Amino acid sequence: EPWHADLALTACWAAMALAAAVAPLLPPLHACAQHGKCLGSDQRSFAFANWRVPKAWFAHFYVVGNVLNLMVLLRAWLKCGLQLALLPVILFQLQVARRLLECSLVSCFGDSEMHIIGYAVGLAHYVLAPLTLALQGGWRGCGLASRLATMPLLAVLAAMAAFLAASLGQLHCHRHLARLRLRGQDGSSIKYSVPKGGLWDAWRVTCPHYLCEVAIYVSLASLAWTTGARSIALPAMAGWVAVNLSVSASSTQTWYEEKFG
């Protein structure tokens, strides 16, 4: 039954959000969630602390997301045709495609690492996200097309505008960060500095690219509900992203304070 799948996905997102929220209270778990500059050498004293992979493997997340979401999109398109209920699925396809291109052409990972558990959680996210979107429109959207005339057009346009603005803002942030992270002469090491200017000064937050990511998922959930979905897994997914990235932003703020004062 669809509601069984919706409940199972909601439970997965809630469990991941809970784990992210309590991670700062549990040093071993928190260590596994860190990556890049926040992955301190002191964390190697924990069990399995050396189970690390290159941070450049972030690209794997978006390969998985692209493939699975495209499967959802094509299946729904062939079954129901192109319709408004597929908009969140289409926008998510644009999101993962953009992030894959950014990993290849913009981001500067150097020799940064992440824990293999964090890598596994990232893969899980990009498996669960297309499935969550499939429930709202990818597999169940045929009946929603007939309700097009009753859908609030302004709300749909507002959600799409928010998605576009957040996507452009995140791209701007990633390009700005890439310019700050200068490669060493060996082509692998990275020199970090405190980001300034752009959205960092405009919004006065530590990680505006994280805030943009949260806005992207909130806009997807809002758009899905506006187009007729009633899946509780959608807000649960956005909630997980908000909690996880809030914890990551806090870790980044702490690292900046310790490194630069």
Side-chain angles (χ1 to χ4, degrees), residues 173-209:
C173 290
H174 289 157
R175 293 181 62 186
H176 187 73
L177 287 172
R179 287 194 293 267
L180 292 177
R181 296 171 184 175
L182 305 176
R183 292 184 183 271
Q185 292 183 354
D186 62 355
S188 60
S189 61
I190 292 179
K191 177 182 177 181
Y192 287 98
S193 58
V194 179
K196 295 180 180 179
L199 294 180
W200 279 267
D201 289 349
W203 292 352
R204 297 187 179 279
V205 294
T206 302
C207 301
H209 51 308

Side-chain angles (χ1 to χ4, degrees), residues 21-35:
V22 302
L25 306 177
L26 303 171
L29 181 59
H30 192 49
C32 293
Q34 300 303 303
H35 56 80

